[in-house]
Amino acid sequence: MQAREYTEIFRYAREYFSSFEKSCDEFHILIDPALESASAKVRLGKNGYRIDRMKVAYAYENGSEVSYTGIDEWMKHAACAGSCTNTLYVPIHFSDKPVGLYVFKNPDFLYTNSKLSDMLSPISMAMQQLFLNRMLTNTLNELKHLYNRDQLTGVYNRIAFKELLISKYNEAAYDGLEGAVFFIDADNFKETNDTLGHDKGDKVLKCIASALVNSLSCEGYVCRYGGDEFVVFMPSVSNDDAEGYRDAVCSSLAADNISVSIGLALTGADTSLTLKECVAIADEDMYRVKALHKASSNG
């Protein structure tokens, strides 16, 4: 969670407590760093909170905001408090889990306002809403990832091809970029499934997807087009680098005794071609390569 997202809440808290006739010398908020990903993990030691694992999210001391480089610096500051200092630690809860602490130094306002829980309620509610918003954003991002990713290989799926790759292709064409479209098909994949089983076939598909992603040396989008077929689009790449990518993928997979046929279509020369038409050209080139592979194995 970004610090700026806390700003309004922290300033509200500062103004809220300073509005009392008797306020406090210092007001700190310590949080579990896990809240930055809105996962709300509990970090408790044998004796309760592990302050040394927390993060100083906000510090207000003697009339101004201050910053700390880390929790160690804050703990040294806290240890230097005089013998006449009263320090109040109040837990922050989220989803019924302790995730941080409010720390008050000399909270004089309690002498005239004893119901601290009532005083903290609006601040806690605002912080909970902040965390809930972040969790909702994370959930939506996860759903989006599931929506346009192939569950087996983790690369883009056919939906992403229609929604993302076509958009990227049109942008590149508009900018006059010269790129490449690759069509990849696993050799003898049906035989692998029939003789070694679908689990082995799944491993082959994962290896192919991994090689396609790891061999990228520039911007590129890898999509599982269907079955054992993949499409890769590079918006801007030279002819030599495109051929180099094809060789790199084949070499990487050869180490795992996996053979693929990769067709190539260069883009940009004819701006009237759609991505689907370029895929068809790459598909045709893939069959040319596959025929060469078969001829080589039979020879």
Side-chain angles (χ1 to χ4, degrees):
M1 188 169 298
Q2 300 299 318
R4 64 177 179 272
E5 294 183 276
Y6 291 113
T7 301
E8 289 188 9
I9 292 177
F10 294 161
R11 288 182 177 172
Y12 169 73
R14 180 195 68 196
E15 293 170 1
Y16 181 73
F17 287 110
S18 63
S19 66
F20 294 104
E21 182 178 354
K22 292 184 177 181
S23 186
C24 59
D25 294 340
E26 298 180 5
F27 171 53
H28 302 143
I29 298 180
L30 310 181
I31 61 167
D32 186 324
L35 285 179
E36 296 193 357
S37 60
S39 59
K41 293 181 180 178
V42 182
R43 291 174 179 248
L44 296 176
K46 293 181 179 179
N47 299 319
Y49 286 91
R50 287 293 303 272
I51 293 180
D52 60 313
R53 293 181 179 177
M54 291 189 179
K55 174 182 178 180
V56 183
Y58 182 77
Y60 182 75
E61 301 174 6
N62 300 314
S64 62
E65 296 178 2
V66 298
S67 60
Y68 287 92
T69 57
I71 192 65
D72 291 340
E73 183 185 6
W74 183 89
M75 291 178 70
K76 289 179 181 178
H77 167 78
C80 292
S83 58
C84 296
T85 298
N86 294 318
T87 303
L88 176 66
Y89 295 84
V90 181
I92 301 173
H93 288 85
F94 178 63
S95 298
D96 297 325
K97 296 179 181 179
V99 294
L101 292 167
Y102 296 113
V103 183
F104 301 93
K105 179 181 176 182
N106 292 330
D108 294 337
F109 57 83
L110 287 180
Y111 294 113
T112 55
N113 302 274
S114 59
K115 294 185 178 180
L116 181 63
S117 59
D118 292 342
M119 296 163 59
L120 290 175
S121 179
I123 302 173
S124 297
M125 288 178 63
M127 290 190 74
Q128 286 205 28
Q129 187 60 50
L130 189 66
F131 300 150
L132 286 172
N133 289 344
R134 173 50 65 92
M135 292 184 74
L136 177 60
T137 299
N138 289 347
T139 300
L140 290 175
N141 288 337
E142 290 174 3
L143 289 174
K144 184 178 180 180
H145 181 84
L146 291 173
Y147 174 73
N148 60 21
R149 293 282 179 171
D150 177 59
Q151 288 188 332
L152 176 65
T153 63
V155 299
Y156 289 115
N157 57 21
R158 192 67 176 265
I159 295 175
F161 174 85
K162 295 178 180 179
E163 296 184 357
L164 175 65
L165 270 68
I166 290 178
S167 174
K168 293 295 183 181
Y169 176 85
N170 292 337
E171 289 177 9
Y174 180 82
D175 292 336
L177 300 178
E178 295 186 355
V181 173
F182 302 84
F183 196 97
I184 301 93
D185 185 85
D187 294 337
N188 305 313
F189 185 72
K190 185 178 185 303
E191 181 181 342
T192 299
N193 267 339
D194 291 344
T195 58
L196 301 178
H198 289 282
D199 287 344
K200 177 61 177 178
D202 287 348
K203 290 180 180 179
V204 169
L205 293 176
K206 290 179 181 179
C207 285
I208 294 174
S210 179
L212 292 173
V213 172
N214 293 334
S215 298
L216 288 171
S217 59
C218 60
E219 180 184 2
Y221 303 89
V222 180
C223 166
R224 186 180 177 191
Y225 202 62
D228 61 329
E229 298 173 338
F230 295 82
V231 168
V232 176
F233 171 56
M234 295 182 185
S236 179
V237 65
S238 68
N239 295 1
D240 290 342
D241 287 343
E243 290 289 355
Y245 174 74
R246 176 156 57 177
D247 293 340
V249 171
C250 291
S251 297
S252 174
L253 291 172
D256 294 317
N257 295 317
I258 298 173
S259 175
V260 294
S261 297
I262 303 178
L264 169 62
L266 299 174
T267 68
D270 186 351
T271 56
S272 65
L273 290 176
T274 65
L275 176 59
K276 191 173 182 179
E277 290 170 332
C278 286
V279 169
I281 295 172
D283 186 20
E284 184 178 347
D285 187 51
M286 182 274 296
Y287 279 108
R288 178 189 64 81
V289 174
K290 190 175 288 287
L292 292 175
H293 287 178
K294 288 183 178 179
S296 176
S297 61
N298 292 334

